[in-house]
């Protein structure tokens, strides 16, 4: 049987591994930051009806400009946005790929701030874009001064800021986004995949779009909307930047079924997002209980918690998996990451972790509470 190394693959792809989290059939999967709450029955019924209607004309190509969907995204985001400022694709990863295809490529570079989302360097590689890893401040924070200094030092063609950051959960201030934009000479992308999990009233980088044509704000329906399986990501930016993405997208890249499903979910946005408050509560509960168990959880504005103080992350990961709990080893020494699930799922994780024994140097035992 032929091996990959025997094929005439691109030299820059040799020795690389595809992106992917472990997939195991376990009762409690808290490893890929999904919204573990199911779509409400009435919403699911409406989505099914819309998809069924789309199937009736499936012999025809879908709206290439997905106009109705862009109008729906503009209404959802607000901030005076219009359909001309919106883009969408099959997940936010494809949105980011479109950006790199249009503004990156051979001889150009993308700057991210490590540790951050592991797909950024993979997307850069796939588009022939060089990837640069900038530094962060202590506790994975990113101050305006540090962001600007790293941009000036490395002089990238594109900058990507993950807000809140994955895998650390660290929130990002608008002052940092402004400083990065002012220091950068090229496109600045703010990846707000987890924006809905930030505290109420916390401003989005969407407020910074006016007068900043090089600023792009990426979002996804995978997380807060519990729509990971539908693969829908979207972006807000200057109309000229949206035009640039049209140059690289594949024809009819959003299927009629995808458009119909997304429109159904957006029509019930309030109901779909009603579970966000519960997820925040479970996230805050994780922070509190992990600290009581002797670990060092980092502050999080997302639907997951990165925690340190893990003596042996690989062994802890496997021990939890054997108990039917799947979390994520993100490769940061002595750290693991866990998604905030339902109350029952969160309890199952905390009880399983407590049963493994406390980390070295941990304080006295504390009971696992059922609320944050």
């Amino acid at each position: 049987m032929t091996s990959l190394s025997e094929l005439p693959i691109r030299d820059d792809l040799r020795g690389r591994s595809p992106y992917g989290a472990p997939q195991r059939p376990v009762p409690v999967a808290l490893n890929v930051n999904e919204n573990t709450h199911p779509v409400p029955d009435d919403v699911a019924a409406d989505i099914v009806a819309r998809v069924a209607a789309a199937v009736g004309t499936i012999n025809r190509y879908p709206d290439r400009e997905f106009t109705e969907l862009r109008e729906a995204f503009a209404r959802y985001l607000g901030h005076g946005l219009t359909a001309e400022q919106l883009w969408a694709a099959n997940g936010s990863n494809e949105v980011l790929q479109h950006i790199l295809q249009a503004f990156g490529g051979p001889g150009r570079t993308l700057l991210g701030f490590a540790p951050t989302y592991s797909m950024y360097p993979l997307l850069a590689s796939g588009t022939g874009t060089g990837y640069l890893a900038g530094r962060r401040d202590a506790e994975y924070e990113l101050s305006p001064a540090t962001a600007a200094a790293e941009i000036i030092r490395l002089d990238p063609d594109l900058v990507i800021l993950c807000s809140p950051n994955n895998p650390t959960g660290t929130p990002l201030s608008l002052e940092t986004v402004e400083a990065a934009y002012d220091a950068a000479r090229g496109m600045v992308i703010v990846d707000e995949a987890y924006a809905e999990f930030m505290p109420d009233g916390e401003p989005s980088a969407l407020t910074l779009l006016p007068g900043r044509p090089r600023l792009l704000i990426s979002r996804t329906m995978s997380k807060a909307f519990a729509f990971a399986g539908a693969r829908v990501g979207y972006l807000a930016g200057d109309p000229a930047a949206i035009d640039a993405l049209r140059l690289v997208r594949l024809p009819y890249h959003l299927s009629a079924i995808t458009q119909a499903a997304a429109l159904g979910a957006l029509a019930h946005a309030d109901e779909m997002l009603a579970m966000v408050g519960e997820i925040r509560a479970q996230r805050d509960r994780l922070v509190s209980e992990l600290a009581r168990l002797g670990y060092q959880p980092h502050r999080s504005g997302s639907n997951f918690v990165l925690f340190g103080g893990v003596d042996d992350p690989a062994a802890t990961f496997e021990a939890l998996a054997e108990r039917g709990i799947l979390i994520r080893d993100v490769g940061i020494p002595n750290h693991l990451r866990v998604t905030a699930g339902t109350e029952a799922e969160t309890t199952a994780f905390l009880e399983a972790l407590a049963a493994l024994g406390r980390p070295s140097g941990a304080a006295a035992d504390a009971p696992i509470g059922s609320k944050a």
Side-chain angles (χ1 to χ4, degrees), residues 144-157:
T146 296
E150 289 295 271
I151 292 168
I152 292 169
R153 180 176 72 88
L154 295 168
D155 190 31
D157 296 279

Side-chain angles (χ1 to χ4, degrees), residues 26-268:
V26 296
V28 180
L30 302 174
N31 62 321
V32 289
N33 302 338
E34 297 159 319
N35 183 336
T36 64
H37 297 68
V39 173
D41 289 343
D42 62 318
V43 180
D46 187 22
I47 292 172
V48 168
R50 290 170 185 257
V51 169
V55 171
T57 58
I58 206 74
N59 58 307
R60 301 290 187 178
Y61 285 116
D63 175 10
R64 184 179 59 240
E65 299 302 323
F66 46 98
T67 306
E68 187 179 359
L69 181 57
R70 289 163 66 201
E71 290 171 346
F73 278 129
R75 289 192 298 271
Y76 168 67
L77 290 178
H79 297 285
L81 292 168
T82 64
E84 291 73 26
Q85 294 174 274
L86 270 295
W87 189 248
N90 296 285
S92 59
N93 284 329
E94 188 177 59
V95 169
L96 298 176
Q97 183 181 60
H98 285 168
I99 296 170
L100 290 172
Q101 287 175 314
F103 298 103
R108 297 191 176 190
T109 54
L110 168 70
L111 169 64
F113 292 85
T116 193
Y117 184 32
S118 58
M119 271 302 297
Y120 297 158
L122 292 176
L123 287 166
S125 174
T127 57
T129 308
Y131 185 76
L132 305 170
R135 69 179 183 88
R136 287 179 173 269
D137 300 302
E139 296 297 315
Y140 308 119
E141 300 289 336
L142 184 60
S143 68
T146 296
E150 289 295 271
I151 292 168
I152 292 169
R153 180 176 72 88
L154 295 168
D155 190 31
D157 296 279
L158 300 97
V159 176
I160 190 160
L161 303 165
C162 196
S163 175
N165 187 49
N166 180 15
T168 65
T170 316
L172 188 74
S173 71
L174 293 190
E175 290 76 16
T176 297
V177 177
E178 291 177 298
Y181 187 89
D182 292 341
R185 57 181 173 79
M187 305 303 290
V188 175
I189 310 145
V190 182
D191 182 355
E192 289 193 339
Y194 300 94
E196 285 91 348
F197 299 106
M198 291 291 288
D200 290 332
E202 191 76 18
S204 161
L206 292 166
T207 60
L208 302 178
L209 280 174
R212 294 182 174 89
R214 293 181 290 106
L215 183 62
L216 301 171
I217 314 299
S218 174
R219 291 282 190 99
T220 183
M221 296 186 77
S222 293
K223 310 303 181 181
F225 270 88
F227 229 48
R231 310 307 303 128
V232 183
Y234 56 106
L235 171 145
D238 189 88
I242 303 303
D243 281 342
L245 304 185
R246 285 192 175 87
L247 300 175
V248 298
R249 60 100 181 267
L250 294 174
Y252 310 103
H253 70 288
L254 276 181
S255 76
I257 291 174
T258 298
Q259 293 182 44
L263 283 166
L266 287 167
H268 299 270

